[in-house]
């Protein structure tokens, strides 16, 4: 259903209702919710298989499947009554995005007064709630030295559409704002809030889940692009030539190298995420070494996937520049993913620091 709608998803800059509604109704945004809230509570490796399938069909849908599901694991960090209020509705989707500088939450009676702007809220077009991360300040204006996430009905915020981008257009990663908006204390939680649920899934912080999930989307995009290039080589004859370009030794080498790169990145990510899952199941903890490995494997998969798509783009020649060619769509999506926080080359520095015995700095 998703793959034939890819052009519409891209053109409308959102997942159309006739596509997203069946996804919601089938429970694909409740894959990581605990059983206690009616979710599937899938093992993380199984979840990544689903993300990969959607990523191959359309990067924007794969991206939203990952982001909205991973955020839902925070349902175990609020009270049972708040979790029921929000996630017991089978159509609930919560989106989140990073705050802009100047965003603040001021402590007040019974809760907080929240002001600011949040960007990159993927899936906000089909979401019913938003999550807003903000630094907390005392009522006298002093810094409370705490970051909290606040859960707010989407109807209570003002949505800003500045999502005019080249790739991942269909994610509808819009912004939202609010000014002096009251949020009850119970609809918020701290970054290090413990889980109410005993499941192994909730031992994993959202950071490695976001990293590995978005890397899986990137691999899906690269697979789709490379397959499209392979198909084209079997029918395309270059101007002045007599044979299809699949007979060209340069094409053969580029395909071989791209396959090696893609499979190597995929294998490394699978190894890192499988080890992470085995560790949380057996030990109910996630050591720094494994968080670093997932971060490194995820970043490498994202950046390698863009390189693989570059090769596919080159192989397709002038066909690649037309929007009607799938490789053009894959090219834009792969590079949009690479430019996101999960694809930052500085994550290699963080891994290098750890492997050199230094204190790792960064997000992992």
């Amino acid at each position: 259903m998703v793959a034939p709608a890819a052009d519409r998803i891209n053109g409308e800059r959102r997942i159309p209702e006739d596509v997203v509604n069946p996804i919601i109704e089938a429970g694909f945004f409740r894959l990581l919710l605990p059983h206690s809230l009616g979710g599937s509570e899938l093992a993380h490796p199984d979840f990544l298989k689903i993300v990969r399938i959607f990523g191959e069909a359309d990067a924007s849908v794969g991206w939203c499947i990952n982001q909205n599901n991973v955020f839902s694991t925070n349902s175990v960090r609020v009270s049972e009554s708040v979790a029921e209020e929000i996630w017991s509705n089978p159509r609930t989707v919560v989106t989140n995005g990073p705050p802009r500088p100047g965003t603040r939450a001021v402590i007040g009676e019974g809760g907080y007064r929240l002001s600011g702007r949040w960007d990159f809220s993927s899936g906000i077009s089909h979401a019913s709630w938003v999550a807003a991360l903000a630094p907390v300040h005392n009522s006298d204006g002093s810094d409370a030295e705490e970051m909290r996430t606040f859960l707010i009905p989407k109807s209570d915020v003002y949505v800003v559409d500045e999502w005019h981008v080249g790739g991942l257009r269909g994610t509808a990663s819009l912004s939202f704002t609010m000014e002096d908006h009251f949020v009850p204390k119970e609809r918020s939680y701290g970054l290090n809030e413990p889980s109410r649920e005993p499941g192994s899934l909730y031992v994993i912080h959202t950071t490695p889940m976001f990293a590995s999930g978005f890397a899986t989307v990137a691999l899906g995009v690269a697979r789709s692009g490379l397959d499209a290039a392979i198909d084209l080589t079997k029918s395309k004859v270059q101007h002045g030539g007599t044979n299809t370009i699949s007979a060209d030794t340069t094409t053969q080498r580029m395909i071989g190298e791209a396959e090696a790169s893609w499979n190597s990145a995929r294998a490394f990510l699978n190894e890192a995420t499988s080890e992470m899952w085995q560790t949380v199941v057996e030990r109910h903890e996630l050591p720094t070494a494994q968080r670093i490995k997932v971060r490194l494997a995820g970043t490498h998969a994202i950046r390698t996937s863009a390189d693989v798509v570059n090769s596919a783009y080159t192989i397709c020649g002038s066909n690649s520049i037309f929007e009607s060619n799938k490789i053009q769509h894959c090219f834009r999506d792969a590079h949009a993913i690479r430019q996101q926080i999960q694809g930052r080359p500085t994550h290699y520095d963080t891994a290098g620091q750890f492997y050199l015995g230094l204190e790792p700095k960064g997000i992992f």
Side-chain angles (χ1 to χ4, degrees):
M1 180 186 68
V2 170
D7 287 341
R8 278 203 301 136
I9 292 167
N10 183 64
E12 295 183 23
R13 298 185 301 117
R14 60 185 291 171
I15 309 173
E17 288 188 8
D18 63 308
V19 177
V20 77
N21 281 338
I23 293 174
I24 292 173
E25 290 163 6
F28 278 103
F29 288 111
R30 301 173 66 81
L31 300 176
L32 300 182
L33 273 177
H35 293 310
S36 62
L37 291 172
S40 298
E41 199 171 329
L42 281 185
H44 190 244
D46 292 335
F47 171 70
L48 291 181
K49 292 176 184 177
I50 292 173
V51 171
R52 160 89 180 279
I53 291 168
F54 276 107
E56 286 192 32
D58 182 80
S60 291
V61 176
W63 186 276
C64 289
I65 290 289
N66 185 67
Q67 177 149 332
N68 300 156
N69 271 292
V70 169
F71 185 82
S72 76
T73 62
N74 288 308
S75 61
V76 304
R77 295 179 177 89
V78 294
S79 69
E80 188 175 348
S81 60
V82 170
E84 283 282 346
E85 175 192 9
I86 297 172
W87 280 282
S88 62
N89 184 338
R91 293 193 61 83
T92 289
V93 177
V94 183
T95 186
N96 67 299
R100 282 196 179 184
T103 293
R104 58 194 284 123
V106 179
I107 299 173
E109 184 177 352
Y112 303 82
R113 311 298 305 194
L114 194 59
S115 301
R117 172 168 169 158
W118 293 259
D119 299 319
F120 297 100
S121 300
S122 299
I124 197 169
S125 59
H126 57 259
S128 45
W129 288 73
V130 300
L133 176 69
V136 176
H137 297 264
N138 296 309
S139 57
D140 62 4
S142 61
D143 189 349
E145 297 185 355
E146 181 187 17
M147 294 287 288
R148 294 186 73 80
T149 298
F150 302 87
L151 299 168
I152 306 149
K154 188 176 75 171
S155 57
D156 288 355
V157 305
Y158 180 71
V159 177
V160 181
D161 183 2
E162 294 182 355
W163 190 244
H164 299 283
V165 294
L168 296 178
R169 286 167 55 87
T171 60
S173 298
L174 312 185
S175 306
F176 63 90
T177 66
M178 67 192 85
E179 185 65 33
D180 197 35
H181 181 77
F182 178 73
V183 181
K185 182 178 181 180
E186 60 269 20
R187 281 198 196 154
S188 72
Y189 60 90
L191 294 180
N192 297 313
E193 211 76 43
S195 170
R196 290 181 294 97
E197 292 279 344
S200 300
L201 186 63
Y202 309 111
V203 176
I204 308 173
H205 193 270
T206 55
T207 297
M209 282 203 279
F210 278 132
S212 56
F214 291 139
T216 299
V217 175
L219 286 168
V221 174
R223 183 70 264 164
S224 184
L226 187 54
D227 287 346
I230 290 172
D231 286 343
L232 184 65
T233 66
K234 297 173 182 177
S235 60
K236 179 174 179 176
V237 177
Q238 286 182 326
H239 180 71
T242 56
N243 297 320
T244 61
I245 59 173
S246 62
D248 184 78
T249 56
T250 301
T251 299
Q252 294 162 3
R253 177 176 296 178
M254 290 182 71
I255 291 295
E257 289 175 343
E259 285 285 355
S261 295
W262 185 85
N263 279 285
S264 296
R266 177 189 56 81
F268 184 25
L269 184 64
N270 284 351
E271 178 184 290
T273 54
S274 295
E275 287 180 3
M276 175 176 72
W277 182 247
Q278 184 176 359
T279 298
V280 297
V281 168
E282 293 178 354
R283 298 168 52 183
H284 218 65
E285 63 176 357
L286 188 59
T288 298
Q290 293 199 294
R291 298 204 312 271
I292 291 287
K293 187 171 182 178
V294 170
R295 166 56 77 197
L296 178 60
T299 300
H300 191 64
I302 288 171
R303 299 188 71 80
T304 299
S305 292
D307 291 338
V308 168
V309 173
N310 287 349
S311 294
Y313 190 89
T314 300
I315 289 166
C316 291
S318 59
N319 294 71
S320 299
I321 69 174
F322 292 94
E323 290 194 355
S324 58
N325 191 333
K326 188 173 186 176
I327 192 62
Q328 172 64 216
H329 197 154
C330 292
F331 182 85
R332 295 196 303 264
D333 287 338
H335 283 275
I337 296 172
R338 185 169 173 158
Q339 295 300 108
Q340 298 288 340
I341 188 172
Q342 307 299 341
R344 285 180 181 173
T346 51
H347 295 320
Y348 287 111
D349 303 350
T350 298
Q353 291 159 3
F354 176 78
Y355 292 126
L356 287 168
L358 306 173
E359 185 69 25
K361 298 177 175 61
I363 305 170
F364 57 90

